Amino acid sequence: MNPSTGPSLWLSVLLRRFPDLVGELAPSSGTPPHARRRSGTPRSGGASAPLRLHVSDAVRDITDGVVELEEAVRERLGLRPVAPAPVPVRLRRIAGLLERIGSDPVLAAHVEDEARRMAARCARELGDPEQVVRLPGRCPECGSVSLRALPERARVCCVNPACRTPVEEAS
């Protein structure tokens, strides 16, 4: 398994982006424009930003997904359950088991698929059309250092405008 396109990549993307998604839930300190009078002063009851349910749903979906993934990994590897923890801690614990996960192709594929799905959901809610991850190495076709992983499409390609070669299908 290539670590730059396997579960490690998507777990690290999710670990990096999930705090940004949680940050989207924090209320803004300012008054939203629709809650102000023409004079610029807030209307009564208009001091807080509207609740963004789609962000809340995404946080809950990803949190549930990470909890279930960690439980499934530990069960498949024959490890005892661990104490509940925040999502970033759980993601690091899963990442710490990647060597053992890699020895089970079915489990490795499942971890990669789930991590990719959750990273894509996180990116969509943050307004990114698609998460693009720069990969180390050179394109085998043109030799450029333009390799990128596109998680929603589950593929790796060269983004050099003169090449645009799909390098491999990430599975």
Side-chain angles (χ1 to χ4, degrees):
M1 174 189 343
N2 182 349
S4 65
T5 60
S8 175
L9 173 68
W10 310 124
L11 288 171
S12 66
V13 168
L14 188 56
L15 185 59
R16 188 179 77 243
R17 299 300 310 265
F18 186 74
D20 296 337
L21 185 63
V22 172
E24 289 290 312
L25 289 176
S28 74
S29 59
T31 304
H34 69 276
R36 293 186 187 132
R37 295 187 181 130
R38 287 190 182 155
S39 65
T41 60
R43 294 180 183 153
S44 61
S48 64
L51 182 62
R52 297 174 50 203
L53 291 176
H54 61 95
V55 174
S56 176
D57 288 346
V59 168
R60 188 185 68 242
D61 174 50
I62 292 169
T63 300
D64 291 348
V66 170
V67 168
E68 291 171 8
L69 182 61
E70 183 183 34
E71 289 172 355
V73 164
R74 296 190 72 78
E75 182 178 323
R76 179 79 178 224
L77 295 176
L79 302 172
R80 64 179 173 75
V82 290
V87 169
V89 172
R90 288 179 181 270
L91 289 169
R92 283 191 284 279
R93 289 194 305 214
I94 295 168
L97 297 170
L98 282 176
E99 191 171 310
R100 291 184 66 183
I101 291 168
S103 65
D104 182 339
V106 173
L107 181 59
H110 176 68
V111 170
E112 182 175 356
D113 290 344
E114 284 300 301
R116 182 187 313 119
R117 178 192 68 78
M118 291 184 283
R121 174 90 191 261
C122 190
R124 275 192 310 274
E125 296 304 329
L126 289 170
D128 298 340
E130 181 174 16
Q131 185 75 21
V132 179
V133 180
R134 183 172 187 257
L135 299 177
R138 296 187 173 272
C139 172
E141 193 69 29
C142 71
S144 169
V145 290
S146 302
L147 293 179
R148 302 294 186 270
L150 306 165
E152 288 189 47
R153 298 182 217 173
R155 58 177 240 197
V156 174
C157 66
C158 178
V159 294
N160 177 354
C163 181
R164 300 278 186 196
T165 301
V167 176
E168 65 182 62
E169 292 300 315
S171 52

